[in-house]
Amino acid sequence: AQKVTQVQTEISVVEKEDVTLDCVYETRDTTYYLFWYKQPPSGELVFLIRRNSFDEQNEISGRYSWNFQKSTSSFNFTITASQVVDSAVYFCALSEEGSGGYQKVTFGTGTKLQVIP
Amino acid sequence: GAVVSQHPSWVICKSGTSVKIECRSLDFQATTMFWYRQFPKQSLMLMATSNEGSKATYEQGVEKDKFLINHASLTLSTLTVTSAHPEDSSFYICSASYRIYQPQHFGDGTRLSIL
């Protein structure tokens, strides 16, 4: 069974600090995708990144970077020089092929990030 | 970018009422739509996966007769909470994906309050 673990439930940092959100996953599939989503206080979920299981290249997008380590089944997310607008709950998610060929997505429990001005 | 519209955004109604929530993909064809439920300060719990033209696949523990899902077209899926009770009060979120493994694009959610 697939599982996504985000051990950090809440993190507080002071503005401009760097912060890393951890995500560890479990799957038996060789083909899968990993995602990060942001949920600000307003409630809507915003897609941040998708990574497939065959691509372990790290990715950087502005102040955001992601580190995918297949050997440790981790897909960590770092925000550099954090800003107050980064305050939100961040979800890591794993997508596999479920029964019938359809997509099955499992979300982690989320990490609430509070950036203090 | 892909846009998913969810309506209504907020519903308050009496116990015993049935409530329908619509989820529309506005600028792409969604072969798969997902319905989630989220309790305060908790993660998203997948309720069901809806594929256009076929019956929804419900997660274990989710009552099919209670939460009716219809995905009649590639741009519309509906969730009907039948005979809603206070314990059904929650934040319901839909998402849509145009192909397997593609990112899900989420609606803004519906806050359902049953009195």
Side-chain angles (χ1 to χ4, degrees), chain B residues 48-114:
Chain B
T49 303
S50 165
N51 296 288
E52 187 266 338
S54 62
K55 290 184 179 180
T57 302
Y58 288 81
E59 295 300 302
Q60 194 172 10
V62 178
E63 298 176 57
K64 299 178 184 181
D65 297 331
K66 176 75 172 177
F67 300 100
L68 301 178
I69 292 173
N70 183 279
H71 191 168
S73 76
L74 285 171
T75 58
L76 174 65
S77 176
T78 60
L79 167 67
T80 301
V81 184
T82 61
S83 187
H85 292 285
E87 59 267 27
D88 299 323
S89 299
S90 189
F91 188 51
Y92 292 87
I93 309 173
C94 77
S95 70
S97 176
Y98 76 88
R99 204 171 62 190
I100 189 169
Y101 294 136
Q102 293 301 311
Q104 293 179 56
H105 300 281
F106 287 84
D108 288 346
T110 298
R111 296 192 186 278
L112 176 62
S113 296
I114 308 298

Side-chain angles (χ1 to χ4, degrees), chain B residues 16-37:
Chain B
T17 306
S18 290
V19 179
K20 180 186 277 189
I21 303 170
E22 289 189 351
C23 181
R24 293 180 184 274
S25 56
L26 298 185
D27 55 358
F28 69 100
Q29 292 188 324
T31 55
T32 306
M33 286 185 170
F34 304 83
W35 287 96
Y36 295 87
R37 185 173 180 176

Side-chain angles (χ1 to χ4, degrees), chain A residues 5 15 23 31 42 51 90 95-96 99 104 108:
Chain A
T5 303
E15 200 170 22
C23 174
T31 301
S42 50
R51 216 46 170 167
Y90 291 86
S95 177
E96 293 178 324
S99 59
K104 181 172 175 63

